[in-house]
Amino acid sequence: MRKTHAHDDAQSINNVLERRAFQLIAISCLAVFLCAVLTLLEGDILICQLLISSVPPLSFCLYLAHKKHTKLSSEGFIWTLTFLLLSILWLSNGFFNAGLLALPCILIFAAMLGTSSSFGAILALFSLNIALMGYLHSRGIFVFSHITNEKTRPIISIIIIGVSGFSMRLLIKDYTHAIRRLGRENAKVKESEKAIAFLANHDSLTELPNRTLANERFQEAVQRLTLSHSNKKIALMFIDLDDFKTINDSLGHAAGDRYLVAIAERLRDATRPRDTVCRLGGDEFLLILEGLDHERDASLVAGAIQKRISRPVITGQHKLVCSASIGISVYPNDGERYNELVKKADIAMYRSKEVGRNTFHYYCVSMNSDALDRMQLLDDLRTALKNNELYVEYQPIVLLATGKMVGAEALVRWQHPTRGIIGPDMFIPLAEKSGLIVDIGAWVLERACHDIAGLQHHHATDFYVAVNVSTLQLKRDDFKKRVENVLASTPISPQSLELEITESELLSDSAEFDEAITQLKAMGISLAIDDFGTGYSNLGYVQKIKVSKLKIDRSFVHGIQGNSDNQAIVRAVHNIADGLIMSTVAEGVEHACELDFLKRLGITHGQGYFWSRPVAIECLIHLLQEPHTTSLNNELFLS
Ligand code: C2E
Ligand code: CA
Ligand code: CA
């Protein structure tokens, strides 16, 4: 971009120079011609001949200038004029000649159009010649007559002054134009410098201070505190929005951005002018609250912020609601360095997430070991696959009308060498954050297809398996290939495989995602939307990609018989599914009364502890063989 600007500028300077050279040569040609006519009238044949003889080279220079050979034409032009003037001076009355007036004019031409060496050479040449003339004249060796023609001298002088004036005018015009332009450029540079400085210290979306400025503000606050010799505290508050990913993924980045801007505004409103609100990135914000009498005071602000954030934000036709998890660290109690305090506030925030989100925690030392614990767990997870520590359990999916078990969902578990069995809720988020989910997911898919192939072979050929996939897997170029390979290496048909995609991840507006979905559909694999009702589905998209099932999140199913809100939601999901010819699976069915209610609402499938907990493949086969044990006898299979 900058290169193009520089190129444009150079081009426009060249254009001006070309124009100027042509104008000056043209006017000088005219002046020479006029002078020739005047000297002819005056009868000064020699000078007239000299002037006429310069017309062809000047015309040639004019031609060159017209052809845009500016350098060559300019040099030719100023040197022709130089020699013409010197010859006239020597052959007429030397420095008494009116032509001497043309000297400054030639120097202006040389300064404007020539190189600096030409200018120097011409200046030196003139000075030497005039000095020589003066010397010869004063010594009487070469005496110049100071009798000049009184009639033509004024006219020739006017012509020379006119040409000088004209070139001077052009020069000044170019100069003032350049100065003005420079002034404008300067103002622009100053403006962009200001913008760059702002961008370097602020987040471009919300215009809140960024990490760097937050650090500076913190140092300033510490300095003020030290100078005041008071016992006041500074609190750092780490705020993370709980459901932002859902908003971003389901409604797109533009809606996500609008939401963040609205939240930034609320945070600014909730704090005092002396406090700093900054955005650390994504949906993470940091508040620096200074001058607190007691660390407890930060909890009032935290409460106020949570209240403000929980109010819906209206963007377009959407009403978006989020909550926030907050962590607080305090200077100087928890540390003195900025990075250390931010890290501790982050750790405290993580605790808020762990205990169910939408709450706040102050940092305490024991949390540190939890953070280390998580890091250790992630380390262990990296080797879990290699060490065969993962295994898959299956939870039956039942057709409500007949009570028949028609499929099962594959759910991964981790047999940790020292901690015992770890559930997916504990390690799947870690796997997603670290990217390990791609390999883990591929392994689960392969394991599930092999297990179900065995089951189909001996027991039920139309039994299907539902496997959870993360968007991270779907966005990989090789996902389709991996699925094809798994299907090719087992005898199960694509129709027996269902992939479950969580609603919140369904609509991440990416081309890779769309492409993967289309290819999977083309292979004959069916898709189910998991945890339906917890995200913001675009039903048009759901219809477009021809999803076969909606899995109603268990939070709506639990205690449905006594909860009219949940009844309304499940009824609405059923209606949507019915309209789009999709089946519905109620997740988390635990009690017969829930089952009765769901049946009455027209829900087609069910899954839950009512029938069975997730079990090993052998146990699943056993359940299939003994269908009576699958009904109201769940105690048998509680693991
Ligand atoms: P999900 O896909 O919604 O799976 C259903 C979860 O609900 C399972 O938890 C299951 O044990 C539990 N559940 C089933 N019936 C009942 C019930 O009647 N009551 C209650 N309270 N819970 C019930 P689980 O196995 O702990 O899995 C948790 C989540 O982990 C899954 O939620 C899924 O999102 C994720 N997950 C599990 N395996 C995989 C996997 O292989 N890949 C990926 N990407 N995610 C997985
Ligand atoms: Ca699932
Ligand atoms: Ca689910």
Side-chain angles (χ1 to χ4, degrees):
M1 189 76 173
R2 195 173 293 166
K3 241 183 175 168
T4 333
H5 275 309
H7 181 261
D8 288 352
D9 284 352
Q11 190 59 40
S12 82
I13 291 169
N14 271 346
N15 288 346
V16 171
L17 283 178
E18 277 164 9
R19 220 174 35 238
R20 292 292 170 257
F22 186 81
Q23 286 169 332
L24 293 177
I25 300 173
I27 188 116
S28 303
C29 280
L30 192 67
V32 168
F33 183 73
L34 280 176
C35 291
V37 174
L38 284 171
T39 47
L40 183 67
L41 291 176
E42 197 185 299
D44 194 342
I45 300 298
L46 182 64
I47 301 298
C48 175
Q49 273 176 344
L50 261 178
L51 286 166
I52 293 293
S53 67
S54 72
V55 171
L58 285 179
S59 308
F60 184 60
C61 290
L62 192 64
Y63 169 75
L64 286 177
H66 175 67
K67 288 282 165 207
K68 309 220 181 297
H69 298 298
T70 313
K71 239 180 169 171
L72 200 62
S73 65
S74 303
E75 289 292 323
F77 165 63
I78 51 180
W79 283 105
T80 310
L81 284 191
T82 302
F83 288 118
L84 174 67
L85 183 61
L86 285 175
S87 324
I88 291 174
L89 294 184
W90 280 109
L91 295 175
S92 64
N93 41 352
F95 39 70
F96 298 115
N97 190 293
L100 197 64
L101 283 176
L103 203 149
C105 188
I106 293 175
L107 285 174
I108 290 172
F109 293 163
M112 274 174 82
L113 306 174
T115 59
S116 40
S117 36
S118 305
F119 176 79
I122 290 170
L123 185 62
L125 198 64
F126 274 122
S127 310
L128 277 173
N129 274 277
I130 289 172
L132 187 62
M133 282 176 199
Y135 176 75
L136 297 176
H137 183 76
S138 63
R139 289 288 167 123
I141 305 170
F142 197 113
V143 178
F144 295 105
S145 151
H146 49 265
I147 303 163
T148 53
N149 188 319
E150 295 305 325
K151 271 192 233 135
T152 52
R153 186 184 158 91
I155 302 175
I156 289 183
S157 303
I158 286 169
I159 290 172
I160 293 172
I161 288 169
V163 174
S164 312
F166 177 74
S167 39
M168 202 79 99
R169 166 93 191 95
L170 286 183
L171 184 67
I172 298 297
K173 199 170 132 192
D174 290 347
Y175 174 76
T176 42
H177 183 77
I179 294 274
R180 264 195 223 123
R181 191 181 167 138
L182 205 67
R184 279 200 303 271
E185 296 289 324
N186 218 10
K188 264 195 227 158
V189 168
K190 283 221 170 95
E191 227 165 73
S192 32
E193 268 172 6
K194 244 197 233 161
I196 289 168
F198 186 84
L199 281 180
N201 286 316
H202 291 81
D203 162 52
S204 54
L205 176 68
T206 58
E207 298 195 348
L208 288 178
N210 61 12
R211 225 172 247 277
T212 325
L213 189 56
N215 189 356
E216 271 173 38
R217 296 267 173 92
F218 172 75
Q219 305 305 342
E220 286 162 14
V222 169
Q223 229 168 20
R224 276 192 288 273
L225 197 65
T226 318
L227 289 175
S228 68
H229 300 292
S230 73
N231 282 333
K232 296 206 180 214
K233 318 272 180 211
I234 303 169
L236 267 71
M237 204 176 271
F238 198 110
I239 303 170
D240 188 290
L241 302 179
D242 292 327
D243 310 301
F244 179 68
K245 193 175 174 307
T246 312
I247 293 177
N248 222 14
D249 288 348
S250 9
L251 300 181
H253 292 294
D257 284 356
R258 282 198 296 275
Y259 184 77
L260 286 175
V261 171
I263 292 298
E265 198 58 47
R266 289 185 184 181
L267 290 178
R268 240 176 288 177
D269 289 348
T271 47
R272 303 162 302 174
R274 65 202 284 207
D275 300 326
T276 301
V277 181
C278 56
R279 183 175 171 219
L280 298 177
D283 58 350
E284 292 174 354
F285 297 87
L286 182 78
L287 258 60
I288 302 174
L289 309 171
E290 62 173 298
L292 301 181
D293 290 325
H294 195 278
E295 51 264 42
R296 273 195 310 266
D297 298 349
S299 51
L300 295 175
V301 182
I305 283 172
Q306 277 176 326
K307 218 165 155 190
R308 277 172 194 257
I309 290 182
S310 63
R311 287 207 307 259
V313 171
I314 316 278
T315 80
Q317 72 275 63
H318 302 291
K319 193 169 158 191
L320 309 174
V321 195
C322 245
S323 56
S325 295
I326 298 178
I328 306 166
S329 64
V330 180
Y331 172 95
N333 311 23
D334 299 323
E336 304 207 329
R337 282 177 300 116
Y338 170 77
N339 285 341
E340 180 189 359
L341 286 164
V342 173
K343 200 170 147 210
K344 286 180 173 171
D346 187 10
I347 290 173
M349 185 281 293
Y350 205 92
R351 171 55 55 87
S352 301
K353 290 259 185 218
E354 272 177 345
V355 301
R357 328 200 297 176
N358 193 21
T359 179
F360 66 86
H361 277 87
Y362 282 89
Y363 169 81
C364 67
V365 183
S366 66
M367 289 178 184
N368 226 359
S369 59
D370 294 348
L372 286 174
D373 227 40
R374 269 196 306 278
M375 272 160 62
Q376 183 60 52
L377 199 63
L378 179 59
D379 252 12
D380 294 347
L381 188 59
R382 288 185 214 283
T383 52
L385 249 187
K386 227 179 23 219
N387 298 345
N388 281 328
E389 289 162 16
L390 298 183
Y391 64 97
V392 178
E393 285 189 337
Y394 298 88
Q395 187 175 34
I397 297 171
V398 175
L399 195 62
L400 295 193
T402 58
K404 188 182 170 210
M405 200 195 294
V406 285
E409 177 177 0
L411 295 156
V412 64
R413 271 97 186 86
W414 180 12
Q415 174 69 56
H416 190 279
T418 54
R419 297 181 188 209
I421 295 172
I422 300 180
D425 277 343
M426 185 83 166
F427 67 87
I428 291 287
L430 280 180
E432 293 200 319
K433 244 185 174 169
S434 60
L436 282 174
I437 191 68
V438 174
D439 290 336
I440 293 179
W443 179 82
V444 172
L445 180 72
E446 199 176 329
R447 181 75 262 152
C449 287
H450 275 101
D451 284 350
I452 296 304
L455 180 148
Q456 282 185 345
H457 183 66
H458 295 292
H459 309 283
T461 46
D462 54 353
F463 197 87
Y464 78 90
V465 63
V467 178
N468 294 287
V469 288
S470 141
T471 24
L472 229 65
Q473 288 172 268
L474 279 168
K475 283 182 183 171
R476 297 272 300 217
D477 296 340
D478 59 353
F479 185 66
K480 182 191 160 220
K481 189 97 220 106
R482 281 192 175 201
V483 176
E484 271 174 352
N485 288 346
V486 170
L487 289 177
S489 66
T490 54
I492 81 164
S493 68
Q495 286 71 26
S496 315
L497 178 61
E498 187 163 275
L499 298 179
E500 292 192 7
I501 307 162
T502 311
E503 186 187 22
S504 60
E505 296 196 333
L506 183 70
L507 298 173
S508 30
D509 51 358
S510 93
E512 301 108 295
F513 188 89
D514 271 12
E515 172 80 15
I517 296 277
T518 316
Q519 289 177 343
L520 292 168
K521 292 292 307 176
M523 284 164 68
I525 293 169
S526 51
L527 296 177
I529 302 183
D530 207 355
D531 304 342
F532 193 77
T534 57
Y536 298 85
S537 276
N538 170 344
L539 290 173
Y541 188 73
V542 168
Q543 188 183 19
K544 188 182 123 197
I545 61 173
K546 301 216 165 32
V547 170
S548 23
K549 280 196 189 75
L550 297 183
K551 296 192 79 173
I552 305 165
D553 192 66
R554 65 172 180 264
S555 59
F556 304 116
V557 173
H558 183 68
I560 186 169
Q561 69 287 354
N563 186 324
S564 55
D565 284 351
N566 285 354
Q567 285 168 17
I569 291 170
V570 174
R571 200 171 286 125
V573 176
H574 167 70
N575 290 343
I576 292 167
D578 221 29
L580 300 177
I581 321 169
M582 291 186 282
S583 315
T584 36
V585 186
E587 294 184 316
V589 182
E590 293 186 4
H591 304 287
C593 45
E594 291 164 353
L595 170 63
D596 285 345
F597 213 93
L598 294 161
K599 261 181 163 171
R600 259 184 283 141
L601 281 177
I603 303 300
T604 56
H605 296 71
Q607 179 184 351
Y609 297 171
F610 176 73
W611 294 280
S612 166
R613 288 198 174 224
V615 290
I617 183 71
E618 298 78 20
C619 204
L620 183 76
I621 292 171
H622 179 71
L623 280 173
L624 252 179
Q625 287 168 330
E626 314 276 335
H628 58 280
T629 55
T630 67
S631 141
L632 298 173
N633 202 8
N634 53 331
E635 297 302 319
L636 203 63
F637 299 104
L638 296 186
S639 44

